[in-house]
Amino acid sequence: MTDEKQNASIDEAVATEEPPQYGVGPFSIREVALVGTWIVAFVVSFFPIYGPFESAPSVWTSGIDWVLTIGVPTIAVFLIVLRRLSPQGIRRVGSLGIDQFASVAFSVATVLWLSILWNSFVRLSVGQGFLASWVVWVEFFLMLAGVVLTVAAPFIAPFAQDFRGRPEVPAHRSARPVRRVSPRPASVRPEPEAEPEYAPFAAAGAGAATPEASAPDTSAPEPAANDDFATSLIPIDEQVAPLEEPAPAASNEPAQARESFEHVENPTSTVEPAAATAPQHQAFWALVPEERDIVDEIGIPVFRIGPTAWALVIEDRGDVFVVRHEDGRIGYLHDVSGVTRG
C-alpha cells in the first residue's frame, strides 16, 4: 500500500510539472509510428530477398538470418505494446530498459540489412550481377526509420515528449557506476627473532673494551726473570686481576619493572584500549519503529525494513548500520534513531 501511494504521488508530481501527453488510446505518437513501421517490415519480410519472385527464399527460410533481421525487432515492439497494456509486466531486458532494448534491436537489424546490400554491390563490381531484391531496400529503410524512432527520438520535437517527465527509479545494478578497485594489501613477512644477549658476557666484553682496562699499568714493578717459575705456580684465576664493573646507570624502567622489593601504589597505564572507538562487527537483530529505506553506497534505495519484521545488522558503525536482506542484498541504514536491538 505504501508503494502504491508513493507511485501515485510521483505521478501527480510529474503531472503538475509537465503538460499532458496525448496519443492514440494508451499509446503515444512515437509508439504508434514504431508499431506501424514494424507491421510493414514484418509483412515485407515474407517476400524473397534474392533472385526472382517465384523461386528465391525469404529471410525466414535462409538460415537463421531472421533472428536479428526481423525477429529481435519483433520482440522489442511486443515489449513496448505489453508495457502499455500491462504496466506491472516486464520492465527491462537484462540491464536494459524496454526503450534501450528497442534501440539496440533496430540498430542491429539495420546493420544486417545494409550488409546484404553491401555484398550485392560487391558482386556487381566484379560483374556477377546485383543479388539483392527490392525487399532488402525496403527492409533497410524501415529498420532505419525504427532507429530514428528509438535512438534519435529524444532529440526530435514530435517524439521527445514521450521521454520527458518520466519518474525516476533506481537503476539496475548492472547499469550503475562501477565500484573503485582497491589494491591488494602486501603480505607481511615475519621478522627473524633477535638472538638473546647474556649479561655476564656482555658486561665482561664491555669492560675489556675500555681503555682503562686494556692499558698496561706502568706503576707496577716489572717481575724479575727468576720469578717466572713462581708465577706459573699461582692459579690462573688469581693471576688475572678482576675487572672493575662499571657503576650501574640510572634505570629508565618504571618502578614496577625494576628488580626490587619497593611497593608501588596505584600503578596507572597510559595506553587506552583501541577497541573503545572501533566499530562493532558482531551481528545482531534490529527492529525499526517505522519503515525506513536501506540504500547502497551512492544513496539509491535497495530495499526497505519495517516494524513488522526484525532486520539482520552485520556491522554497527555508530551512526550507520550495515543491514543484510534475506536474499543476500546488503545496504546501509543511516537513520538509526529509535532502533530496538534484539
Side-chain angles (χ1 to χ4, degrees):
M1 183 63 67
T2 304
D3 295 338
E4 295 179 357
K5 292 181 179 179
Q6 184 177 3
N7 295 334
S9 61
I10 292 176
D11 295 338
E12 292 177 359
V14 171
T16 56
E17 296 177 359
E18 296 292 336
Q21 182 182 6
Y22 301 103
V24 180
F27 302 100
S28 63
I29 298 176
R30 182 188 69 92
E31 293 169 345
V32 172
L34 186 62
V35 172
T37 302
W38 167 79
I39 291 176
V40 177
F42 186 77
V43 173
V44 174
S45 65
F46 289 97
F47 292 94
I49 59 175
Y50 300 117
F53 182 80
E54 294 81 8
S55 59
S58 66
V59 70
W60 298 96
T61 58
S62 58
I64 61 172
D65 293 341
W66 62 271
V67 175
L68 297 178
T69 54
I70 193 64
V72 177
T74 301
I75 297 175
V77 173
F78 171 77
L79 292 177
I80 291 176
V81 175
L82 181 63
R83 179 179 59 182
R84 290 294 186 182
L85 301 180
S86 178
Q88 302 300 326
I90 301 175
R91 308 296 298 176
R92 59 173 57 93
V93 180
S95 61
L96 298 177
I98 301 300
D99 291 316
Q100 292 174 327
F101 178 74
S103 301
V104 174
F106 281 96
S107 299
V108 172
T110 303
V111 173
L112 290 179
W113 287 112
L114 180 62
S115 175
I116 298 175
L117 291 174
W118 181 267
N119 293 332
S120 299
F121 278 108
V122 171
R123 289 174 57 89
L124 182 62
S125 63
V126 296
Q128 296 183 3
F130 195 80
L131 185 62
S133 65
W134 60 273
V135 176
V136 181
W137 289 98
V138 174
E139 291 288 350
F140 168 71
F141 286 109
L142 289 174
M143 294 301 162
L144 186 62
V147 173
V148 174
L149 293 172
T150 54
V151 179
F155 308 101
I156 301 176
F159 311 124
Q161 189 180 9
D162 197 7
F163 297 92
R164 290 198 301 262
R166 293 187 177 185
E168 296 183 359
V169 295
H172 189 270
R173 59 176 177 267
S174 300
R176 297 176 186 176
V178 296
R179 298 176 57 187
R180 184 177 64 88
V181 179
S182 303
R184 292 183 178 273
S187 58
V188 180
R189 297 182 178 179
E191 298 181 357
E193 297 181 358
E195 297 181 359
E197 296 182 357
Y198 297 95
F201 292 100
T210 56
E212 293 80 1
S214 60
D217 190 1
T218 56
S219 61
E222 297 182 359
N226 56 1
D227 293 339
D228 294 340
F229 179 76
T231 304
S232 62
L233 298 178
I234 300 175
I236 296 177
D237 56 352
E238 296 181 2
Q239 294 181 14
V240 181
L243 299 177
E244 295 182 358
E245 297 182 358
S251 175
N252 294 328
E253 298 179 356
Q256 59 269 28
R258 301 173 185 171
E259 297 179 356
S260 63
F261 296 96
E262 298 177 2
H263 178 68
V264 180
E265 296 181 356
N266 299 328
T268 59
S269 175
T270 59
V271 180
E272 298 180 357
T277 59
Q280 301 179 4
H281 298 280
Q282 184 177 4
F284 60 91
W285 293 97
L287 186 67
V288 296
E290 69 277 348
E291 289 191 355
R292 296 178 181 177
D293 290 331
I294 305 299
V295 299
D296 58 3
E297 295 86 350
I298 61 177
I300 298 178
V302 181
F303 57 91
R304 295 173 64 87
I305 59 176
T308 59
W310 292 86
L312 178 61
V313 178
I314 61 175
E315 184 178 350
D316 181 6
R317 299 184 179 178
D319 55 348
V320 177
F321 287 172
V322 183
V323 183
R324 173 178 292 175
H325 196 265
E326 297 178 354
D327 56 6
R329 291 178 293 175
I330 296 177
Y332 303 92
L333 175 63
H334 293 278
D335 186 6
V336 298
S337 59
V339 176
T340 303
R341 297 171 178 257

